[in-house]
């Protein structure tokens, strides 16, 4: 897939997209990231892209014309139509489900604002969707673009070395991920759960699902409520709850002893 990014800081976005899994996806030509600087589509000596806000108040607003010209050049650079996304706290919240849908598109474009944002008329005419990565304010959309490039880029077929790891991600089945362990089996900080060493793949899968259900119940009950549970998952979660309650009890007992 192709991702075009309209940004005043193209080097930053390109460097973010050059490392790790996503950098490798670009090398493998599974992903193409292109950047477009609105300053290159200005005609005045100062390469002006912003102006003060009508109605007064502090802060500058990104002007229509340089962005309109940039988007036109960007759209014409490839034949596929681009799904244009503006990144702002006013957008709908990005989820793994939305990431999976975006990852299937042939081409998306990410519009990064700076200052107080972009003139509303440009957004109304040129933008298909507005997305936010959370309820906090950043000084620009570039970090958000980097987040989306990463989340979408790693899902391109062949980007991950272990074909299974995308399906096993947190959220891909509506649950948080299970705990993971590696060498050594025994450590001063504790031992690896026995079942993971058993070689019993069915028992391991069952344990992992139980941990995922339990953690989601403990940490993100909102996700569980949305997902709903079948009979098997309900039984596993009940098992987790009983184990969790007795572990809590043991902890409290040993605290009273001390
Ligand atoms: C996006 C953009 C936060 C987000 C942004 C977010 N802050 N939560 N800042 O996804 C317009 C000028 C928006 C700065 C930009």
């Amino acid at each position: 897939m192709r991702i075009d990014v309209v940004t005043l800081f193209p080097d930053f976005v390109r460097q973010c997209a050059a490392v790790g899994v996503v950098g490798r996806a670009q090398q493998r030509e599974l992903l193409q990231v292109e950047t477009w600087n609105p300053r290159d589509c200005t005609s005045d000596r100062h390469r002006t892209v912003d102006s003060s806000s009508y109605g007064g108040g502090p802060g500058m607003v990104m002007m229509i014309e340089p962005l309109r010209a940039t988007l036109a050049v960007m759209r014409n650079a490839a034949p596929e139509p681009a799904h244009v996304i503006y990144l702002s706290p006013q957008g709908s919240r990005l989820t793994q489900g939305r990431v999976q849908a975006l990852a299937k598109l042939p081409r998306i474009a990410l519009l990064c604002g700076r200052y107080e944002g972009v003139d509303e008329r440009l957004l109304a005419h040129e933008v298909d969707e507005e997305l936010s990565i959370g309820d906090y304010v950043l000084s620009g959309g570039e970090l958000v673009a980097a987040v989306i490039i990463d989340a979408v880029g790693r899902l391109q077929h062949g980007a991950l070395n272990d074909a299974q790891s995308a399906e096993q991600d947190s959220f891909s089945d509506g649950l948080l991920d299970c705990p993971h362990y590696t060498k050594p089996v025994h450590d001063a900080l504790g031992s690896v759960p026995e079942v993971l060493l058993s070689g019993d793949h069915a028992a391991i899968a069952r344990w992992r699902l139980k941990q995922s259900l339990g953690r989601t119940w403990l940490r993100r009950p909102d996700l569980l409520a949305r997902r709903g549970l079948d009979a098997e998952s309900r039984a596993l979660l009940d098992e987790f709850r009983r184990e969790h309650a007795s572990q809590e009890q043991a902890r409290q007992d040993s605290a009273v002893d001390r």
Side-chain angles (χ1 to χ4, degrees):
M1 94 177 274
R2 175 178 171 126
I3 304 181
D4 293 280
V5 187
V6 174
T7 170
L8 293 172
F9 299 95
D11 294 343
F12 174 78
V13 172
R14 256 187 272 121
Q15 283 176 32
C16 286
V19 300
V21 167
V22 170
R24 204 171 59 212
Q26 284 196 83
Q27 282 168 6
R28 293 176 179 170
E29 298 185 12
L30 307 170
L31 178 71
Q32 182 183 1
V33 176
E34 299 293 342
T35 55
W36 306 90
N37 190 339
R39 287 206 197 278
D40 295 338
C41 292
T42 53
S43 43
D44 65 313
R45 202 160 58 85
H46 302 288
R47 311 223 295 162
T48 309
V49 296
D50 61 320
S51 189
S52 55
S53 185
Y54 279 124
M60 306 294 272
V61 177
M62 292 181 82
M63 298 163 73
I64 295 174
E65 248 340 290
L67 289 177
R68 232 163 82 85
T70 309
L71 286 165
V73 172
M74 178 276 288
R75 288 185 201 273
N76 280 329
E80 310 94 321
H83 178 75
V84 179
I85 304 170
Y86 179 56
L87 312 167
S88 97
Q90 287 76 49
S92 52
R93 179 73 68 84
L94 185 66
T95 61
Q96 188 64 19
R98 192 71 199 115
V99 167
Q100 284 163 355
L102 292 176
K104 293 190 180 118
L105 298 178
R107 187 181 185 194
I108 63 173
L110 305 174
L111 174 56
C112 301
R114 281 269 152 180
Y115 319 111
E116 301 306 305
V118 171
D119 189 300
E120 191 64 26
R121 294 166 292 179
L122 181 110
L123 300 180
H125 283 87
E126 298 269 9
V127 168
D128 300 306
E129 178 178 19
E130 198 162 328
L131 285 178
S132 165
I133 57 168
D135 290 340
Y136 42 83
V137 177
L138 301 167
S139 53
E142 284 77 12
L143 280 165
V144 181
V147 165
I148 293 176
I149 292 167
D150 190 287
V152 163
R154 65 188 288 285
L155 293 184
Q156 298 307 301
H157 190 72
L160 296 171
N161 273 331
D162 183 346
Q164 283 192 308
S165 21
E167 279 100 77
Q168 289 180 4
D169 283 343
S170 282
F171 306 115
S172 53
D173 58 358
L175 297 175
L176 300 184
D177 203 2
C178 63
H180 299 281
Y181 298 87
T182 186
K183 291 191 289 189
V185 169
H186 299 289
D187 184 272
L189 300 185
S191 295
V192 175
E194 201 98 50
V195 61
L196 298 179
L197 310 171
S198 68
D200 181 343
H201 297 297
I204 292 169
R206 195 174 170 283
W207 181 88
R208 285 184 169 152
L209 178 56
K210 181 168 73 176
Q211 297 303 316
S212 283
L213 288 161
R215 285 183 147 191
T216 310
W217 171 68
L218 284 172
R219 302 181 190 187
R220 293 291 306 276
D222 58 309
L223 293 179
L224 267 198
R226 182 177 313 185
R227 183 176 180 272
L229 295 179
D230 59 17
E232 193 207 343
S233 295
R234 179 147 297 288
L236 280 176
L237 180 55
D238 285 343
E239 212 175 284
F240 180 94
R241 281 199 187 111
R242 282 194 295 275
E243 289 168 10
H244 182 73
S246 65
Q247 280 164 19
E248 275 299 293
Q249 191 58 51
R251 231 191 301 281
Q252 280 176 25
D253 292 349
S254 70
V256 169
D257 288 347
R258 273 189 261 111

